């Protein structure tokens, strides 16, 4: 019997939350317990906060729930059947936890398993907004010394961005346009630049270009000011329902469009235009196939996402962040991190 308690952020209903004392996890067979050091707050968490997240209406998720799927920490204990050498390792983990036995899982596509759990999102697997977390060891990825907890908690969004950048298939000298300069969009831009592309960004007029310029991206546009240039690839990393169609309009014939953003309502593209322009369109769900390469890119400095983190708060401040408040000392970055060890 487990009598240990820990602090956790619990979302009890739309807009309702509490930091609670809950039972600390015990590692089941095949699992590890993690001392959580850093957690990223993302747009999906905010959708759960408002009640707009589709999984709530599809029966995949229910309140109360514990959010947090972008995390880094250290293995504190392991369950039966797990090599004890895992204890003490610094790790991050895959969000997508497949059943392990279906055809998709057997083919290495556990991130689209029909029966998958998504840590802190889908199913009954509590997320990382707590002092400790229990996950299958099979989902863990070891972090080298050069990837600290800040970078570790940015691996999950980075994996999505890496996959989107690779789907754009840039060649040195290609021109790429990224729609939506949020966390994912800026990370996509970084990976595209690392591949040798000339990168342009498009955002709303009320989005400050300061951070993009600080990151070295000078070609920053609004929807009304995008120049008439041939874009070999366009990546939609936004949540605007009309931008997938615009991406198809803006891309060069024989180019590539990549969809990694999700709108709150159905978005549409004209497949006639897709065919007549001979465009390749790719959808990206999940960082899973890109996690290890993202860790390597952070470790060797190919991409440095640290400027994206605007502030780090404790569990008590998570509710305000989910409600849209920015910490008073926040920098220009789009990402807020949480350190569950602090009050």
């Amino acid at each position: 019997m487990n009598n240990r308690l820990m602090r956790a952020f619990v979302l009890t209903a739309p807009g309702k939350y509490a930091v609670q004392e809950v039972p600390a996890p015990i590692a089941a067979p095949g699992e590890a317990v993690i001392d959580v050091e850093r957690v990223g707050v993302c747009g999906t968490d905010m959708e759960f906060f408002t009640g707009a997240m589709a999984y709530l209406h599809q029966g995949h998720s229910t309140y109360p729930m514990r959010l947090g799927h972008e995390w880094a920490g250290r293995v504190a204990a392991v369950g039966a059947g797990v090599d004890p050498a895992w204890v003490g390792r610094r790790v991050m983990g895959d969000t997508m936890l497949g059943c392990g036995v279906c055809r998709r899982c057997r083919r290495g596509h556990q991130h689209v398993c029909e029966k998958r759990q998504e840590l802190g999102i889908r199913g009954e697997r509590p997320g990382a907004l707590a002092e400790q977390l229990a996950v299958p060891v099979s989902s863990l990825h070891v972090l080298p010394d050069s990837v600290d907890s800040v970078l570790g908690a940015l691996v999950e969004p980075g994996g999505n961005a890496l996959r989107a950048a690779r789907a754009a298939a840039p060649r040195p000298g290609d021109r790429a346009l990224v729609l939506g300069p949020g966390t994912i969009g800026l990370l996509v831009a970084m990976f595209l630049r690392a591949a040798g592309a000339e990168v342009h960004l498009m955002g709303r007029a009320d989005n400050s270009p300061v951070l993009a310029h600080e990151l070295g991206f000078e070609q920053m546009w609004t929807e009304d000011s995008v120049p008439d240039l041939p874009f070999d690839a366009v990546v939609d990393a936004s949540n605007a329902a009309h931008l997938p169609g615009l991406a198809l309009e803006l891309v060069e014939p024989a180019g590539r469009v990549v969809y990694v953003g999700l709108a709150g309502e159905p978005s549409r593209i004209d497949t006639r235009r897709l065919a007549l322009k001979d465009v390749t369109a790719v959808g990206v769900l999940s960082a899973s196939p890109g996690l290890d390469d993202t860790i390597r890119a952070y470790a060797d400095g190919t991409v440095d996402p640290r400027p994206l983190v605007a502030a780090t708060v404790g569990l008590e401040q998570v509710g305000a962040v989910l409600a849209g408040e920015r910490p008073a000392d926040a920098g220009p970055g789009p990402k807020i991190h949480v350190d569950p060890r602090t009050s």
Side-chain angles (χ1 to χ4, degrees):
M1 183 174 179
N2 181 22
N3 295 318
R4 292 193 308 112
L5 297 177
M6 68 173 183
R7 297 168 66 248
F9 178 87
V10 180
L11 189 61
T12 56
K16 304 293 183 182
Y17 58 88
V19 176
Q20 300 178 356
E21 295 282 331
V22 302
I26 296 176
E31 291 188 349
V33 170
I34 312 297
D35 288 331
V36 182
E37 297 176 352
R38 193 64 59 99
V39 189
V41 176
C42 98
T44 299
D45 301 322
M46 293 182 173
E47 288 185 20
F48 278 115
F49 183 82
T50 64
M53 176 60 183
Y55 282 174
L56 292 167
H57 310 288
Q58 296 166 350
H60 294 308
S61 307
T62 58
Y63 302 110
M65 63 185 304
R66 197 166 81 213
L67 304 172
H69 59 277
E70 305 173 1
W71 62 270
R74 190 178 296 272
V75 177
V78 295
V82 178
D83 186 345
W86 276 100
V87 175
R89 289 177 179 169
R90 299 180 50 259
V91 294
M92 61 77 57
D94 196 342
T95 299
M96 304 302 208
L97 308 177
C99 71
V101 297
C102 71
R103 181 176 186 271
R104 296 174 191 173
C105 286
R106 294 197 311 271
R107 293 166 66 91
H109 301 150
Q110 88 284 349
H111 60 293
V112 289
C113 170
E114 187 68 26
K115 298 178 181 179
R116 71 184 180 275
Q117 293 182 322
E118 298 178 24
L119 188 80
I121 298 175
R122 169 175 164 152
E124 302 300 322
R125 180 71 65 168
L129 282 174
E131 293 175 321
Q132 287 191 318
L133 169 73
V135 292
V137 169
S138 59
S139 71
L140 296 180
H141 295 254
V142 176
L143 300 175
D145 291 342
S146 56
V147 178
D148 63 11
S149 60
V150 176
L151 291 174
L154 287 164
V155 170
E156 200 277 343
N160 282 280
L162 171 66
R163 292 190 64 215
R166 285 182 171 173
R171 294 172 296 183
D174 277 5
R175 183 180 291 113
L177 175 65
V178 179
L179 311 182
T183 298
I184 298 295
L186 288 170
L187 281 164
V188 171
M190 291 180 187
F191 281 111
L192 286 170
R193 180 172 59 188
E198 175 191 313
V199 181
H200 295 241
L201 292 161
M202 191 197 88
R204 298 192 310 267
D206 59 348
N207 275 5
S208 171
V210 172
L211 179 61
H213 289 162
E214 288 180 356
L215 293 171
F217 298 107
E218 298 299 329
Q219 311 286 354
M220 181 78 181
W221 315 104
T222 65
E223 189 170 339
D224 294 331
S225 68
V226 175
D228 184 16
L229 294 171
F231 293 106
D232 303 293
V234 180
V235 179
D236 176 27
S238 76
N239 59 5
H242 73 287
L243 289 187
L246 181 62
L248 183 54
E249 290 181 24
L250 293 173
V251 73
E252 271 285 278
R256 299 175 75 89
V257 290
V258 182
Y259 297 113
V260 66
L262 291 173
E265 59 189 77
S267 54
R268 305 187 187 282
I269 63 172
D270 185 344
T271 56
R272 295 170 300 178
R273 185 182 295 263
L274 185 77
L276 291 170
K277 293 181 73 172
D278 198 29
V279 166
T280 300
V282 181
V284 172
L285 171 72
S286 164
S288 302
L291 294 174
D292 285 334
D293 285 345
T294 300
I295 291 170
R296 281 190 282 271
Y298 291 176
D300 65 21
T302 299
V303 169
D304 180 10
R306 292 175 189 274
L308 301 182
V309 180
T312 302
V313 301
L315 289 175
E316 299 288 351
Q317 289 77 51
V318 171
V321 170
L322 291 173
E325 297 181 22
R326 285 181 68 82
D329 58 347
K335 178 65 66 177
I336 304 297
H337 272 182
V338 181
D339 185 343
R341 302 166 297 181
T342 63
S343 59

